[in-house]
Amino acid sequence: TQLLEQSPQFLSIQEGENLTVYCNSSSVFSSLQWYRQEPGEGPVLLVTVVTGGEVKKLKRLTFQFGDARKDSSLHITAAQPGDTGLYLCAGARGAQKLVFGQGTRLTINP
Amino acid sequence: EAGVAQSPRYKIIEKRQSVAFWCNPISGHATLYWYQQILGQGPKLLIQFQNNGVVDDSQLPKDRFSAERLKGVDSTLKIQPAKLEDSAVYLCASSADISSYNSPLHFGNGTRLTVT
C-alpha cells in the first residue's frame, strides 16, 4: 500500500510554462518534505512544511501543505531546464520514519 | 561540511553472490538510514540506526540482508545471497538526530547494484 501518492508520475513541458505536482494521502502527517533527485545522485531536501495550510516559497517554487495535513502541492512558475529531475514528497508522523512517494519525473524542454 | 560518502558507486554481480556496501555519514550525525530505491520508485527504508543501535528494521529482508554500524559511525549493508529483484540503488542518509523535521536527511549518491 502506497501511503503517499504522487501525480502525475511523468510530466514533460516546455521551458517557460507553469506546472503543479501533487502529493496525496489518506493519512495525517506531522510534517511533509519535498526533495529533488537528479540522475546518479541522492535526493536533496527542498523544503519542509509543518503547519496545515502553510505555504513556502523557494524562488520560483511554491509549496503548500493541505489544511488537514494529508496532502501537499508543488507549483513551479516559468519552468527552466534546470528544474528537470525527480521530485519526491516524504511524510513523517512524529519521530517515525519518513515515507516517500513514488515521485514525479519532470522534464523541461528548452 | 563533507557530505555522506558511499562506495562503491556501481556493482554488478550474479544472482546468489554476495555484496557489501559502505557508508560514512556526516560527522556528528547520530542517525543513519539505508534506503532501497528501485527504478521508477521512491526510496524505501530498509534500516535505521540511532548511534550503533537499530531503531527500525521492519522492512529489511533479514533472511538475506544484514547491516551494522559499529562504533556508531560508518555502516555496512550486506546482501547474501543476492536475487534479481535486489537490483536497485542503495542510498545511505544521515541526520543529526532522530526527528526528521528538526533534522533533515542528507543523502549520499548511492550504490547502483545490478544483479544478473
Side-chain angles (χ1 to χ4, degrees), chain A residues 9 31 33 35 37 40-45 48-50 86 88 92-103 105, chain B residues 9-10 35 37 39-45 48 56 58-59 91 98-101 103-110 112:
Chain A
Q9 280 194 269
S31 66
Q33 300 177 356
Y35 291 79
Q37 185 177 21
E41 299 182 8
V44 175
L45 180 68
T48 301
V49 286
V50 179
L86 178 68
L88 295 159
R93 290 188 285 225
Q96 293 179 4
K97 64 188 178 189
L98 275 180
V99 176
F100 282 84
Q102 80 275 34
R105 189 164 298 281
Chain B
R9 286 300 311 271
Y10 306 94
Y35 283 87
Q37 187 174 24
L39 186 64
Q41 299 182 18
K44 182 185 84 170
L45 180 69
Q48 178 181 342
D56 184 345
S58 58
Q59 297 193 89
L91 294 163
I98 201 168
S99 168
S100 59
Y101 163 59
S103 300
L105 270 62
H106 298 262
F107 284 87
N109 287 332
R112 181 175 296 277

Side-chain angles (χ1 to χ4, degrees), chain A residues 52-109:
Chain A
E54 182 177 5
V55 176
K56 281 192 173 180
K57 292 192 175 184
L58 186 66
K59 296 183 180 178
R60 294 175 293 101
L61 278 60
T62 301
F63 304 85
Q64 184 162 7
F65 202 10
D67 290 341
R69 290 186 289 131
K70 292 182 178 181
D71 53 80
S72 181
S73 64
L74 159 60
H75 181 79
I76 301 179
T77 303
Q80 299 177 2
D83 296 327
T84 292
L86 178 68
Y87 288 81
L88 295 159
C89 66
R93 290 188 285 225
Q96 293 179 4
K97 64 188 178 189
L98 275 180
V99 176
F100 282 84
Q102 80 275 34
T104 292
R105 189 164 298 281
L106 176 63
T107 303
I108 309 300
N109 303 301

Side-chain angles (χ1 to χ4, degrees), chain B residues 31-105:
Chain B
T31 311
L32 185 147
Y33 313 77
W34 283 102
Y35 283 87
Q36 179 193 57
Q37 187 174 24
I38 293 173
L39 186 64
Q41 299 182 18
K44 182 185 84 170
L45 180 69
L46 292 175
I47 189 167
Q48 178 181 342
F49 292 94
Q50 178 73 3
N51 297 309
N52 61 349
V54 175
V55 174
D56 184 345
D57 64 356
S58 58
Q59 297 193 89
L60 186 74
K62 298 180 185 65
D63 58 333
R64 298 184 300 106
F65 286 64
S66 64
E68 60 182 10
R69 191 184 184 197
L70 299 176
K71 301 180 182 178
V73 182
D74 293 4
S75 178
T76 55
L77 175 69
K78 297 179 181 178
I79 308 175
Q80 179 180 13
K83 293 185 175 181
L84 295 176
E85 58 261 35
D86 298 332
S87 294
V89 175
Y90 290 84
L91 294 163
C92 179
S94 69
S95 62
D97 68 39
I98 201 168
S99 168
S100 59
Y101 163 59
N102 292 323
S103 300
L105 270 62

Side-chain angles (χ1 to χ4, degrees), chain A residues 27-39:
Chain A
S27 301
V28 175
F29 293 98
S30 56
S31 66
L32 197 138
Q33 300 177 356
W34 283 92
Y35 291 79
R36 183 169 75 201
Q37 185 177 21
E38 300 193 30

Side-chain angles (χ1 to χ4, degrees), chain B residues 2-47:
Chain B
V4 176
Q6 290 190 245
S7 67
R9 286 300 311 271
Y10 306 94
K11 191 73 177 179
I12 300 174
I13 62 172
E14 294 181 353
K15 59 184 179 183
R16 292 187 291 274
Q17 287 187 324
S18 303
V19 65
F21 313 127
W22 174 82
C23 173
N24 183 263
I26 292 174
S27 178
H29 277 194
T31 311
L32 185 147
Y33 313 77
W34 283 102
Y35 283 87
Q36 179 193 57
Q37 187 174 24
I38 293 173
L39 186 64
Q41 299 182 18
K44 182 185 84 170
L45 180 69
L46 292 175
I47 189 167

